[in-house]
Amino acid sequence: MVNTKKLRGKIIEKGLNYEKMAELLNISSCTFGKKIRNISSFTLNEAAVMIITLDIPVSEIVDYFLMDLAV
């Protein structure tokens, strides 16, 4: 389960929007919306693209993409 609030904040911080993120992931904006709302899951490849694009530090990946495991 992704941390929707944290991920949305990072997208905005980087000057991006859902449409651009969906384009970078090669998915529709509707599909991206479902994934960021935890209706469906991001693939590992999609998560990797987002980590690189959003410049998420390795030490924070769990906070963004594995919210259930974050302490």
Side-chain angles (χ1 to χ4, degrees):
M1 174 179 275
V2 299
N3 185 331
T4 300
K5 186 175 180 179
K6 194 168 182 84
L7 197 52
R8 284 180 180 170
K10 192 67 159 179
I11 291 167
I12 292 167
E13 176 186 314
K14 292 296 181 179
L16 300 169
N17 57 37
Y18 284 7
E19 291 78 20
K20 183 61 178 175
M21 287 303 304
E23 182 182 319
L24 291 169
L25 298 174
N26 200 29
I27 59 176
S28 72
S29 57
C30 181
T31 298
F32 182 80
K34 288 179 182 178
K35 291 182 179 211
I36 200 162
R37 291 189 322 267
N38 292 305
I39 295 170
S40 61
S41 300
F42 287 105
T43 66
L44 288 176
N45 286 336
E46 291 167 346
V49 169
M50 291 175 45
I51 289 164
I52 292 166
T53 301
L54 300 174
D55 197 28
I56 297 172
V58 172
S59 61
E60 295 180 19
I61 291 172
V62 170
D63 296 337
Y64 282 89
F65 292 97
L66 299 171
M67 193 170 98
D68 291 342
L69 301 178
V71 179

